[in-house]
Amino acid sequence: MYERQLSIRIKREHNGGLQVASTVILCISVTFFVFVLATFINDHVKRFSICDDFYIPESYLTSTYPSNPYILCNSSSLSNTRHRITKQTILTKDPWHSMNDDELIWRASMVPVVIDPPFSWTPKVAFMFLTRGRLPLAPLWEKFFNGHDALFSIYLHTSPDFTNEPPESSVFYKRRIPGKAVQWGKHTMIDAERRLLANALLDFTNERFVLLSETCIPVFNFTFIYNYLINSNQSFLSSFDDPRKMGRGKYNKRMFPAITLSDWRKGSQWFEANRKLAIQLISDATYYPIFRTHCQRPCFMDEHYFPTLVNKVCPELTTNRTVTWTDWSRGGSHPALFVRNQISEEFINNIRYGYNCSYNGEETSTCFLFARKFHPNTLQPLLSLAPTLLGFNT
């Protein structure tokens, strides 16, 4: 009898052990399944989150094609992103935004993976004005731009303290970009130029980019300048070897070995670039820190940085000349400033046709499209000449 009871007890304990073991195995299996499912869900949530973060609303900036969306998004989220990309979202309405410089340059340096866009547009010329404040020659530029709204865009970099806004009817209305203080001869000058380029690059319809100051004037009408730039095979950024003290003498040996004396170039601050070169100018992270550290007075970054950079990375993209005429014949650190009584038809025509250069491989006497430095009191005589000489409407 005792042996029977013991047998039953052992059998129950054995069955109980099996039940416990089965329960433990079941719990482990469920836990593992929940872990795998959570990991799977988390991974997909992250992917969608990345896509949502990568997409920047139209109100924040304008250019929209991601550099390589296939890397960041799966097919379903990519289709949503594409759905948001329309013809309207790549057209700049207001250049103001809240990006810092690093964010701006990162975004502007992107290029579409798909070469052929889903629609066509007319290429535009971006006119980038680097100014202290107001544009004293704005009435002349207003006449220059009049009637060509679809062919240009304007960007103004002013002192952050300058908040004056022109009338709503002006082509300069709400064309200021977020700017920072600029000091002559300092790296902040290059920062401002890169900032202008980056903002202009956000609009994919901009294909040519010209840097101007508040003292610049056009010496041809809009149609001529537009065709000259759009049809050019190269950009117009001067980069030349100046063996004199004011050239090679500005080289700092501490730049070696990244930048050698044979790499060193000089050129005009006032350049024109096509889209390919513009992206190169804002994307450099190798030579800019070297210049910022070692190009100190008497070295000026605005004279040497871009010319040397282009010589290092893409010399084939430029004609090594500028399209902005400046008179340095008087010597010194600043070019000649022209005033009211110096403005005449002969003077302007000499700028227009008094030089020889190459354009798309052929010799031409039309080398300059813009000129500087013009005092504000030159506005009236320039406006008087404009209808007959430049073909502007009165």
Side-chain angles (χ1 to χ4, degrees), residues 325-340:
W325 179 86
T326 309
D327 182 7
W328 288 96
S329 63
R330 303 178 189 180
S333 301
H334 298 280
L337 174 66
F338 299 99
V339 295
R340 181 186 184 96

Side-chain angles (χ1 to χ4, degrees), residues 36-50:
V36 171
L37 181 61
T39 302
F40 178 81
I41 293 173
N42 184 57
D43 179 66
H44 277 64
V45 169
K46 283 183 178 180
R47 292 190 182 190
F48 282 102
S49 177
I50 290 173

Side-chain angles (χ1 to χ4, degrees), residues 190 193 237-241 263-271 281 291 300-315 318 320:
I190 295 297
E193 293 176 18
L237 189 153
S238 59
S239 175
F240 58 90
D241 180 18
D263 296 326
W264 192 249
R265 294 293 184 270
K266 185 178 180 179
S268 170
Q269 175 185 2
W270 311 101
F271 64 84
L281 296 181
F291 266 86
F300 300 106
M301 280 188 69
D302 54 272
E303 292 182 355
H304 296 283
Y305 171 61
F306 281 152
T308 302
L309 174 63
V310 168
N311 182 54
K312 290 283 290 184
V313 302
C314 51
T318 179
N320 291 329

